[in-house]
Amino acid sequence: MALRPVQVNIKALDESAVGRFWAEALGWSVSGGTPGVTSYVGPVGDFVWPDPVAVGVDVVRVSEGKTTTKNRVHLDLATDSAEHQAELVARLQALGATPAHVGQGEVPWTVLADPEGNEFCVLEPRESYRDTGPIAAVVADCADPRAMARFWGEAVDWVLHEVTDDHAVLRSARGTGPYLEFLRTPGVKTVPDRVHLDLLPYPGDDKAAEVARLRALGAGDLDVGQGDVPWTCLADPEGHEFCVLAPS
């Protein structure tokens, strides 16, 4: 049994506006979802969900805006040249992104925030991200990357590429799409996550059995006021929220 990361879930006051921003940012399109509740952003072309390669973006309407607290999960965007990086940063700012300061100091990447304040990075060209697509990585702050590698390495069907005391890196066994990275970062969780991963069982797998397996690995149940829904909300051992979706 295994689960696959299929989308990044972003909470927003205005899901349509934030969905449009991320579609333009990634060169993707907005499709699917429920009008007034969610906007799904995925690669341009015939709509297929889940995408066989990309991890999509699901923007969900909520009633409360982002606090000033830095998100513990963010996206890194890939570029293929210094010119591309500069052009992308300029285009994103024209779309409504703003510079963000999260204590990064002098670094070769650019930290921005989307129109509702969700931080993300536009990376300088890196060989390791040349074939990821527009999203280079989904990045989570954590206290113990080795512990996160143990949990997430068992939770999903992605391959562990690297693990040290400072970071852990996973990627689809297909060698395509973005990476999932855990970075050792000071601080602890103080507010609900604004950005999280959604996981999906493979066709024929038992969602309830998968949820039980995750609990045995150390996941905890999570009540975010979701009510009676077909997905299950959980938190990993460091409190990162995620959802296990029902197979379609």
Side-chain angles (χ1 to χ4, degrees):
M1 294 190 295
L3 293 161
R4 46 189 165 152
V6 292
Q7 61 195 27
V8 176
N9 184 295
I10 299 177
K11 297 179 176 67
L13 291 171
D14 186 341
E15 83 293 341
S16 295
V18 174
R20 288 194 301 272
F21 170 84
W22 281 104
E24 292 286 343
L26 301 172
W28 288 356
S29 61
V30 178
S31 57
T34 304
V37 178
T38 180
S39 295
Y40 181 79
V41 179
V44 174
D46 292 337
F47 180 71
V48 176
W49 189 91
D51 188 275
V53 175
V55 172
V57 175
D58 193 33
V59 185
V60 178
R61 179 184 293 183
V62 293
S63 59
E64 296 183 357
K66 182 180 181 296
T67 69
T68 57
T69 303
K70 173 183 173 289
N71 284 343
R72 296 175 75 234
V73 178
H74 72 268
L75 298 182
D76 280 352
L77 306 189
T79 64
D80 56 25
S81 68
E83 293 76 17
H84 182 203
Q85 183 186 17
E87 290 167 359
L88 181 56
V89 168
R91 185 168 67 81
L92 292 168
Q93 289 182 302
L95 290 170
T98 54
H101 302 282
V102 293
Q104 68 267 28
E106 291 293 328
V107 292
W109 58 89
T110 301
V111 184
L112 299 173
D114 75 10
E116 291 201 8
N118 298 298
E119 302 90 353
F120 64 96
C121 297
V122 180
L123 302 181
E124 75 285 2
R126 300 185 191 181
E127 180 64 20
S128 57
Y129 299 141
R130 63 182 174 79
D131 60 353
T132 60
I135 300 177
V138 181
V139 183
D141 297 345
C142 70
D144 188 346
R146 293 187 183 276
M148 290 295 93
R150 287 192 294 271
F151 174 83
W152 284 94
E154 293 289 338
V156 301
D157 66 342
W158 286 16
V159 174
L160 182 63
H161 279 244
E162 185 178 0
V163 59
T164 70
D165 289 341
D166 293 320
H167 70 279
V169 179
L170 299 93
R171 195 186 192 193
S172 168
R174 297 182 180 187
T176 56
Y179 290 84
L180 174 60
E181 302 181 1
F182 294 92
L183 301 183
R184 186 167 177 262
T185 308
V188 296
K189 180 177 178 178
T190 58
V191 298
D193 289 339
R194 199 79 180 170
V195 180
H196 70 257
L197 275 175
D198 285 342
L199 312 180
L200 183 69
Y202 280 92
D205 284 353
D206 186 325
K207 172 179 170 286
E210 284 294 322
V211 170
R213 185 176 66 86
L214 293 170
R215 291 183 180 126
L217 290 172
D221 291 303
L222 186 67
D223 185 354
V224 292
Q226 68 268 23
D228 185 13
V229 293
W231 58 88
T232 301
C233 299
L234 298 171
D236 74 12
E238 286 203 14
H240 299 101
E241 300 159 13
F242 66 95
C243 293
V244 180
L245 306 180
S248 56

